[in-house]
Amino acid sequence: MGRARSAIALGVATLAAAVLVDTAPAYAATEQLRLDFDAAPSGQVEPGPWTSGCFADVATPGDSGCIAVSDPGSISRATRPNGTGGSPALAFPAAGSAVIQVPDAANLNPGTQDFTISVLVKLTAGQVTAGANLVQKGFYSKTGSQWKLQADNGIPGCRIAGFRDGVWTEALVSSGVSIADQGWTFVQCKRRGTVLSITVGAHPAVPFDGDASMDVSNTSKVTIGAKGAGLSNNDQFRGELDNAVFSLG
Ligand SMILES: [Ca+2]
C-alpha cells in the first residue's frame, strides 16, 4: 500500500514537472515571425521617412520584412510608450501606399495547426478607413487560402480561408470594438483547434460562430499595413504599428 501510494505520488510529481516544463517556453519557441521595428531598415538612417530597406525578423534570423511604397507613400518613425521609456514603432502614410513584405516561407503557413497573429496598433479617428489591413498572408477570394488581421472602419477583425477535407471554407470574426482614438492597443487573432477568436486590448475574446478548422497554406508574402504597394484597392492602414508577430502551435 505504502509502495503503491509512493508510486502514485512519484507519478503525480513527474506529471507536475512535465506540465511546468511544457508551459512558458513552448509558446515563445513557436514564434515564426517577429518584427519589432526597433532598428532602422537596412541601408537607411534614423529617423526616416523611408521608402526602402528591410527590417530584420527577430524570431527567424536571416528573414526580413522589406518596405515597398507607391508615391507619396513612405514609412515614418513613431514611438510607442513602453514602461518608463519607449519602443521604436512605425507610422504608415496618410497618402500613397506603404507596406512591409516578408517573403513566403513554409513556417508562415499554419496548414491545420493552431496559430496566433498579433500586433500593437494606434489609430486616430481621422486615420480610419473602410479597408485597413494589419497583417496578412494571402488575399481575399472565394477559392484560395488566407490568414488576415484587419481594422476595417477602425474595428479589428480576423479572416481565415482554406480547405477542410478538400472543400473550400472561410471563417470571419469581428471584434465589434473600435480602436479609434484609444491609443496603443494590442490586437490578436488566434485559432485553437476548431475555434477562431479575436482579442482587442482588455476586451474578452470574441469567437467565430462556427468550425474554423481548415488547411491554410499559400505562396503569398506576408504583408503588413496593406495588401501591397498599389494605389488602388490596397486596404492601406494609415495609423501606427509595432510588434507584428506570427506564431505556430
Ligand atoms: Ca518596437
Side-chain angles (χ1 to χ4, degrees):
M1 195 62 186
R3 187 186 225 168
R5 192 178 297 128
S6 55
I8 290 168
L10 179 62
V12 169
T14 304
L15 182 62
V19 167
L20 284 174
V21 166
D22 281 345
T23 47
Y27 184 78
T30 66
E31 277 192 4
Q32 308 298 321
L33 175 71
R34 174 178 284 270
L35 294 173
D36 62 14
F37 307 115
D38 286 359
S42 56
Q44 309 298 312
V45 294
E46 294 286 359
W50 306 300
T51 57
S52 64
C54 303
F55 298 97
D57 175 358
V58 178
T60 306
D63 286 357
S64 60
C66 301
I67 298 171
V69 304
S70 280
D71 193 56
S74 63
I75 296 284
S76 302
R77 193 46 113 185
T79 301
R80 177 177 59 84
N82 184 14
T84 55
S87 181
L90 301 183
F92 285 78
S97 72
V99 65
I100 313 291
Q101 298 176 314
V102 181
D104 171 47
N107 66 329
L108 301 175
N109 285 317
T112 58
Q113 299 177 76
D114 288 349
F115 66 92
T116 306
I117 316 157
S118 65
V119 68
L120 285 159
V121 289
K122 182 184 174 188
L123 189 66
T124 66
Q127 293 167 335
V128 169
T129 52
N133 291 5
L134 299 174
V135 192
Q136 73 188 92
K137 188 175 192 298
F139 301 100
Y140 180 88
S141 80
K142 288 286 188 182
T143 55
S145 87
Q146 175 186 55
W147 55 253
K148 178 175 68 172
L149 187 53
Q150 63 186 21
D152 293 6
N153 300 305
I155 299 172
C158 180
R159 178 184 188 264
I160 65 172
F163 295 85
R164 184 186 308 133
D165 300 326
V167 178
W168 183 86
T169 187
E170 68 180 327
L172 174 63
V173 60
S174 170
S175 65
V177 175
S178 175
I179 58 171
D181 287 340
Q182 298 302 301
W184 283 98
T185 305
F186 179 70
V187 180
Q188 182 183 70
C189 170
K190 63 183 178 183
R191 178 173 69 180
R192 295 291 183 272
T194 62
V195 180
L196 182 76
S197 66
I198 184 159
T199 303
V200 174
H203 296 274
V206 177
F208 169 67
D209 182 18
D211 184 350
S213 63
M214 67 186 77
D215 183 343
V216 181
S217 183
N218 58 64
T219 58
S220 298
K221 298 171 182 175
V222 170
T223 67
I224 298 164
K227 286 183 192 173
L231 287 171
S232 63
N233 188 32
N234 193 37
D235 290 349
Q236 180 70 53
F237 171 68
R238 302 205 178 275
E240 298 179 7
L241 183 153
D242 198 9
N243 283 8
V245 180
F246 175 77
S247 301
L248 282 180

